[in-house]
Amino acid sequence: MNWFGTIVHAQFPFGGHYGLALDADENNWKLFVISSKPHLSEREDCLPISPSEYPVPFTQDSFVKIGDLHEISDEDIDQIYPDSLPSEFLNKVERLLDRR
């Protein structure tokens, strides 16, 4: 299954956060951290994601931190949300990844 674009809630080393899946296998997930910290709007490696625009499980405007990729064990995934983000958003993620 292609997990790219799936939003999860996971236990990162620094605590529970939402994450955007880049990929997953039977044991691990590669996740970008999603944060609602406003100062991230100034970073070029962060994409804004708003609950008013996309089907997301969180209520605050947030940012996908493309520069912050973590490998998280399947055991540390608290919740997998059923709706993937639309291709227009995922294309933006891919463009930022290509620039790295």
Side-chain angles (χ1 to χ4, degrees), residues 64-85:
V64 178
K65 297 168 66 177
I66 304 301
D68 200 0
L69 184 64
H70 293 263
E71 192 163 312
I72 303 294
S73 167
D74 194 46
E75 296 170 357
D76 291 328
I77 301 297
D78 299 325
Q79 178 92 28
I80 301 170
Y81 295 93
D83 296 325
S84 290
L85 290 168

Side-chain angles (χ1 to χ4, degrees), residues 3-46:
W3 292 102
F4 180 47
T6 301
I7 293 178
V8 303
H9 192 275
Q11 294 302 314
F12 288 84
F14 45 83
H17 271 277
Y18 290 101
L20 177 69
L22 175 62
D23 198 7
D25 61 27
E26 65 273 356
N27 299 314
N28 295 296
W29 290 71
K30 291 181 183 174
L31 300 174
F32 298 112
V33 176
I34 298 174
S35 175
S36 61
K37 294 181 181 174
H39 74 275
L40 295 173
S41 66
E42 301 169 13
R43 288 182 37 178
E44 290 184 14
D45 67 338
C46 293

